[in-house]
Structures are given as C-alpha cells and as structure tokens.
C-alpha cells in the first residue's frame, strides 16, 4: 500500500566538492527511487552542516573582496545548491527507471522562538577545526563562541533553536498532492523570527532531523526515514557491550534517551525527532538506517525501526 514518507539525508554523506556531491547524490537517488517505484509519495530533506561551514570559510577568505553573507543567507544558499544536485540525481535515476515524475526544490523557512534558550547557549558546530590557541584568538577578535568538538580541535558553535513552524508547509503539501517529489526544509530550514507582520532571518542553524520530523508530522506522513552512515542505532556505543537496536518501541527510545545513550550532535536529535513524530499520530513508523538500505528499512528488514 502506498505510503507518504519523509526522508532525511545527512549532510556529511553529500561529499566535499560539487562534482563529488552530484556523484554521491545520484547514488543516493537510487535508494530513494526504489521507494518511489514501489508507489510511495516521497519528500526529501537534507543536512547542510559541512556545506554551510564551507560557505562560512569562503566568507572569511573573501571578506576583503565581497561582504560576508549572514548565517540565514548561507543556509538559503546551501538549500539551493544541494537541492539542485538532488533534483539532478533524482531526475536522472527516475528517467532511467521509466518513471515520469517531476522533482522540485522549495527554499523553506522555519519559524523559531526568540525566547528559545538555544540563543543563549550555542551548541551547533559549523566550519573548520582550529587549535585551542587559534580558537581563542578568533573568539577574542570576532566574538564567536568556540568549543572543543569531538577531540579533533575547536570549532565555531552557533545557536540551534527548536523548529516551531514550517512556513511553506501548505505549498509542500500542494506539490506532494500533485505527485511531485519535493526537496524541502534543507539544512533544517532557514531560521526566521516573526517581527510584527514580517519574518526576519536568525543567526542560527536548525537541527535537520527535528525539522524533518516536524515536516512529517505536518504532512501527516506514514513514515519518517532518517538515512545516515550506519545501518542501525546502537546503545553502549563504542564499548564491548555495544548493541545494535532493531525493532523498538517509543517507550524503549525514551528510556535510552533518558540514559544518555545518544550523542548530542549525532543520534540524539534523530531519536528525539522519531519519538515526537510517533507520539503525535497513530499507525506511524520511524526508521533510522544507512542510505543504501532505504528499501530494506522501509520493508522492515533492517535498520532501527521504532513504532
């Protein structure tokens, strides 16, 4: 039976150069087209952490020639760039499979709350790694918040507020209802704050998994599928007691979250997005698995399946 599926792709799986990104996206498209060929409606979201980080580096390198773009504009730039490649990759693979279906990228704004405590406590790493000495110098000169990240050095961190509302959700729904494959809410969406009757861009990055879960909820999707670099979520990760999770319940997921089993900038937002999506509807399923296992995950044959 046909299902409506929101797929979240990790930005780290999209390569480092334009050519590499297009190649990897085209490979990824094969897994997504398997789901479309099975008769499902598909909406694709994606991360942008590495890509927005590179744009910020370009800003720094070229600031003597051209004014740097603010964070919200950098997010919009990555939506267009990555969405363009996803459109190309999906369109090519759809044609190769004899499927006549349009693909459209929608630049998407996501409302956040100005009172969100994340604005006072930046946690989302972006951009390059620096030594402690370099990081402290950047912090003193530019006022950026710099934190140690994954024992590989220091990085700039920016606020990561929770998504409250997807501004273009009605347009996304209209396109999906019209049998279009939609790429939306890239990078978690462009963070915007309501000011009077206008929306103003915020200097932040929204966690793409949380926005993907919210979009799946607002579209009344049947499934939230988060595709990443591993086939299963694990508990006791990196220890001799590491255990991959297969079929679990929302109660199981909440228990593991409470135990601190998942990394703040890795599996935790994925599990939180899955739990929120499942708790707000009946008969829904969330799947977290690797990109090349999308169809098997949809069929319940692999991945971490939460119901």
């Amino acid at each position: 039976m046909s299902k409506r599926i929101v797929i979240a792709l990790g930005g780290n799986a999209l390569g480092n150069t334009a050519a590499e990104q297009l190649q990897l996206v085209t490979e990824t498209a094969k897994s997504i087209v398997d789901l479309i060929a099975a008769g499902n409606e598909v909406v694709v979201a994606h991360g942008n952490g590495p890509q927005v980080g590179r744009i910020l580096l370009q800003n720094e390198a070229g600031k003597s020639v051209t004014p740097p773009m603010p964070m919200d504009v950098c997010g919009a730039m990555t939506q267009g760039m990555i969405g363009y490649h996803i459109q190309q990759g999906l369109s090519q693979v759809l044609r190769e499979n004899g499927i006549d279906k349009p693909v459209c990228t929608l630049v998407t704004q996501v409302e956040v709350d100005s009172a969100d405590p994340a604005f006072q406590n930046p946690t989302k790493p972006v951009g390059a790694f620096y030594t402690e000495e370099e990081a402290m110098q950047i912090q003193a000169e530019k006022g950026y918040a710099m934190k140690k990240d994954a024992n590989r050095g220091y990085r700039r961190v920016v606020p990561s507020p929770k998504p409250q509302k997807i501004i273009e959700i009605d347009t996304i729904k209209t396109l999906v209802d019209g049998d279009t494959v939609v790429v939306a809410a890239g990078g978690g969406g462009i963070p915007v704050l309501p000011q009077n009757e206008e929306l103003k861009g915020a200097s932040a990055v929204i966690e793409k998994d949380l926005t993907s879960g919210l979009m799946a909820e607002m579209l009344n999707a049947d499934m939230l599928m988060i595709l990443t670099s591993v086939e299963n979520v694990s508990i006791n990760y990196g220890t001799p007691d590491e255990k991959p999770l297969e079929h679990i319940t929302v109660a199981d997921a909440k228990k593991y979250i409470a135990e601190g089993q998942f990394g703040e900038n890795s599996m935790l937002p994925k599990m939180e997005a899955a739990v929120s999506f499942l708790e707000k509807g009946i008969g829904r399923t969330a799947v977290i698995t690797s990109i090349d296992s999308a169809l098997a995950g949809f069929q319940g044959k692999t991945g971490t399946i939460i119901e």
Side-chain angles (χ1 to χ4, degrees), residues 189-201:
I190 303 163
V192 293
L193 295 165
Q195 294 185 8
N196 299 321
E197 295 183 1
E198 298 182 2
L199 295 169
K200 300 291 187 181

Side-chain angles (χ1 to χ4, degrees), residues 88-290:
Q88 284 203 322
L90 277 174
S91 296
Q92 176 185 327
V93 179
L94 285 167
R95 284 194 303 271
E96 290 171 352
N97 284 268
I99 301 172
D100 183 15
K101 191 180 289 282
V103 184
C104 173
T105 296
L106 186 67
V107 175
T108 313
Q109 303 171 95
V110 174
E111 185 177 311
V112 295
D113 185 351
S114 61
D116 192 309
F119 284 108
Q120 306 304 319
N121 180 33
T123 58
K124 188 70 172 176
V126 296
F129 287 91
Y130 299 94
T131 65
E132 183 175 4
E133 182 180 354
E134 290 170 333
M136 294 306 101
Q137 183 176 348
I138 291 169
Q139 187 166 283
E141 290 178 356
K142 304 181 185 300
Y144 295 164
M146 308 292 289
K147 289 186 180 179
K148 196 171 186 179
D149 179 32
N151 296 317
R152 290 182 289 172
Y154 286 75
R155 296 174 80 187
R156 179 184 176 186
V157 289
V158 299
S160 185
K162 296 286 193 295
Q164 302 296 322
K165 176 184 176 183
I166 297 171
I167 302 301
E168 288 79 17
I169 193 66
D170 289 340
T171 304
I172 296 169
K173 186 176 187 303
T174 298
L175 289 166
V176 175
D177 288 345
D179 204 30
T180 296
V181 180
V182 183
V183 183
I190 303 163
V192 293
L193 295 165
Q195 294 185 8
N196 299 321
E197 295 183 1
E198 298 182 2
L199 295 169
K200 300 291 187 181
S203 183
V205 174
I206 306 171
E207 174 54 60
K208 73 100 174 40
D209 295 313
L210 298 182
T211 300
S212 298
L214 177 62
M215 182 162 62
E217 176 193 334
M218 296 180 77
L219 291 172
N220 195 26
D222 301 290
M223 178 177 288
L224 172 64
M225 178 172 285
I226 300 176
L227 300 181
T228 183
S229 57
V230 294
E231 194 160 336
N232 293 82
V233 180
S234 293
I235 55 172
N236 306 318
Y237 182 74
T239 75
D241 296 323
E242 181 175 333
K243 176 186 174 184
L245 301 176
E246 296 178 349
H247 286 78
I248 64 172
T249 65
V250 168
D252 294 329
K254 293 172 78 170
K255 171 177 174 288
Y256 296 137
I257 289 170
E259 291 174 353
Q261 289 281 356
F262 311 118
E264 181 180 7
N265 288 310
S266 56
M267 282 299 172
L268 179 58
K270 294 173 174 53
M271 296 298 286
E272 289 178 334
V275 167
S276 180
F277 168 66
L278 293 170
E279 286 189 323
K280 292 181 174 66
I282 297 171
R284 297 174 171 178
T285 304
V287 180
I288 304 173
T289 192
S290 61

Side-chain angles (χ1 to χ4, degrees), residues 10-12 14 46-56 78 82 124-127 155 187 205 208:
N12 288 310
L14 298 176
H46 59 79
N48 72 342
Q51 293 79 10
V52 80
R54 285 193 285 275
I55 290 175
L56 292 172
T78 62
I82 298 170
K124 188 70 172 176
V126 296
R155 296 174 80 187
V205 174
K208 73 100 174 40

